[in-house]
mmCIF file of all heavy atoms in Angstrom:
data_model
loop_
_atom_site.group_PDB
_atom_site.id
_atom_site.type_symbol
_atom_site.label_atom_id
_atom_site.label_comp_id
_atom_site.label_asym_id
_atom_site.label_seq_id
_atom_site.Cartn_x
_atom_site.Cartn_y
_atom_site.Cartn_z
ATOM 1 N N THR A 1379 17.904 50.699 35.051
ATOM 2 C CA THR A 1379 18.874 49.935 36.032
ATOM 3 C C THR A 1379 17.994 49.130 36.877
ATOM 4 O O THR A 1379 18.449 47.974 37.230
ATOM 5 C CB THR A 1379 19.652 50.985 36.805
ATOM 6 O OG1 THR A 1379 20.374 51.856 35.923
ATOM 7 C CG2 THR A 1379 20.546 50.388 37.814
ATOM 8 N N ARG A 1380 16.883 49.596 37.252
ATOM 9 C CA ARG A 1380 15.975 48.871 38.168
ATOM 10 C C ARG A 1380 15.520 47.475 37.507
ATOM 11 O O ARG A 1380 15.529 46.466 38.110
ATOM 12 C CB ARG A 1380 14.874 49.660 38.629
ATOM 13 C CG ARG A 1380 14.002 49.131 39.786
ATOM 14 C CD ARG A 1380 13.065 50.032 40.387
ATOM 15 N NE ARG A 1380 11.954 50.361 39.464
ATOM 16 C CZ ARG A 1380 11.652 51.626 39.056
ATOM 17 N NH1 ARG A 1380 12.464 52.647 39.515
ATOM 18 N NH2 ARG A 1380 10.733 51.875 38.219
ATOM 19 N N VAL A 1381 15.218 47.615 36.281
ATOM 20 C CA VAL A 1381 14.758 46.442 35.494
ATOM 21 C C VAL A 1381 15.861 45.431 35.304
ATOM 22 O O VAL A 1381 15.759 44.134 35.505
ATOM 23 C CB VAL A 1381 14.067 46.795 34.224
ATOM 24 C CG1 VAL A 1381 13.776 45.670 33.318
ATOM 25 C CG2 VAL A 1381 12.918 47.538 34.374
ATOM 26 N N GLN A 1382 17.055 45.921 34.935
ATOM 27 C CA GLN A 1382 18.215 45.043 34.672
ATOM 28 C C GLN A 1382 18.667 44.301 36.063
ATOM 29 O O GLN A 1382 19.082 43.170 36.045
ATOM 30 C CB GLN A 1382 19.404 45.826 34.058
ATOM 31 C CG GLN A 1382 19.067 46.295 32.603
ATOM 32 C CD GLN A 1382 20.182 47.122 32.096
ATOM 33 O OE1 GLN A 1382 21.082 47.435 32.790
ATOM 34 N NE2 GLN A 1382 20.060 47.469 30.712
ATOM 35 N N ALA A 1383 18.667 45.132 37.076
ATOM 36 C CA ALA A 1383 19.204 44.527 38.391
ATOM 37 C C ALA A 1383 18.081 43.778 39.110
ATOM 38 O O ALA A 1383 18.498 42.898 39.937
ATOM 39 C CB ALA A 1383 19.577 45.692 39.246
ATOM 40 N N ASP A 1384 16.847 43.794 38.711
ATOM 41 C CA ASP A 1384 15.776 43.089 39.385
ATOM 42 C C ASP A 1384 14.973 42.393 38.303
ATOM 43 O O ASP A 1384 13.927 42.960 37.943
ATOM 44 C CB ASP A 1384 15.007 43.933 40.230
ATOM 45 C CG ASP A 1384 14.020 43.220 41.112
ATOM 46 O OD1 ASP A 1384 14.194 42.033 41.078
ATOM 47 O OD2 ASP A 1384 13.030 43.898 41.604
ATOM 48 N N PRO A 1385 15.437 41.427 37.618
ATOM 49 C CA PRO A 1385 14.677 40.822 36.498
ATOM 50 C C PRO A 1385 13.321 40.135 37.019
ATOM 51 O O PRO A 1385 12.422 39.927 36.245
ATOM 52 C CB PRO A 1385 15.642 39.686 35.979
ATOM 53 C CG PRO A 1385 16.595 39.332 37.096
ATOM 54 C CD PRO A 1385 16.711 40.673 37.826
ATOM 55 N N THR A 1386 13.227 39.820 38.317
ATOM 56 C CA THR A 1386 11.959 39.311 38.862
ATOM 57 C C THR A 1386 10.918 40.418 38.929
ATOM 58 O O THR A 1386 9.653 39.892 39.204
ATOM 59 C CB THR A 1386 12.327 38.620 40.175
ATOM 60 O OG1 THR A 1386 12.850 39.676 41.110
ATOM 61 C CG2 THR A 1386 13.238 37.604 40.063
ATOM 62 N N GLY A 1387 11.289 41.629 39.007
ATOM 63 C CA GLY A 1387 10.245 42.632 39.144
ATOM 64 C C GLY A 1387 9.784 42.950 40.560
ATOM 65 O O GLY A 1387 8.738 43.633 40.662
ATOM 66 N N GLN A 1388 10.494 42.532 41.447
ATOM 67 C CA GLN A 1388 10.023 42.642 42.948
ATOM 68 C C GLN A 1388 9.979 44.191 43.331
ATOM 69 O O GLN A 1388 9.067 44.583 43.993
ATOM 70 C CB GLN A 1388 10.985 41.949 43.829
ATOM 71 C CG GLN A 1388 10.543 41.914 45.366
ATOM 72 C CD GLN A 1388 11.440 41.186 46.221
ATOM 73 O OE1 GLN A 1388 12.328 40.345 45.703
ATOM 74 N NE2 GLN A 1388 11.361 41.272 47.435
ATOM 75 N N SER A 1389 10.929 45.004 42.831
ATOM 76 C CA SER A 1389 10.880 46.468 43.255
ATOM 77 C C SER A 1389 9.713 47.057 42.523
ATOM 78 O O SER A 1389 8.988 47.952 43.241
ATOM 79 C CB SER A 1389 12.241 47.049 42.750
ATOM 80 O OG SER A 1389 12.389 46.796 41.338
ATOM 81 N N ASP A 1390 9.440 46.732 41.325
ATOM 82 C CA ASP A 1390 8.219 47.359 40.698
ATOM 83 C C ASP A 1390 6.975 46.973 41.359
ATOM 84 O O ASP A 1390 5.974 47.806 41.424
ATOM 85 C CB ASP A 1390 8.217 46.995 39.169
ATOM 86 C CG ASP A 1390 9.407 47.522 38.421
ATOM 87 O OD1 ASP A 1390 9.868 48.639 38.754
ATOM 88 O OD2 ASP A 1390 9.794 46.972 37.449
#
Side-chain angles (χ1 to χ4, degrees):
T1379 304
R1380 194 166 67 237
V1381 170
Q1382 293 177 352
D1384 185 16
T1386 61
Q1388 184 176 348
S1389 58
D1390 293 333

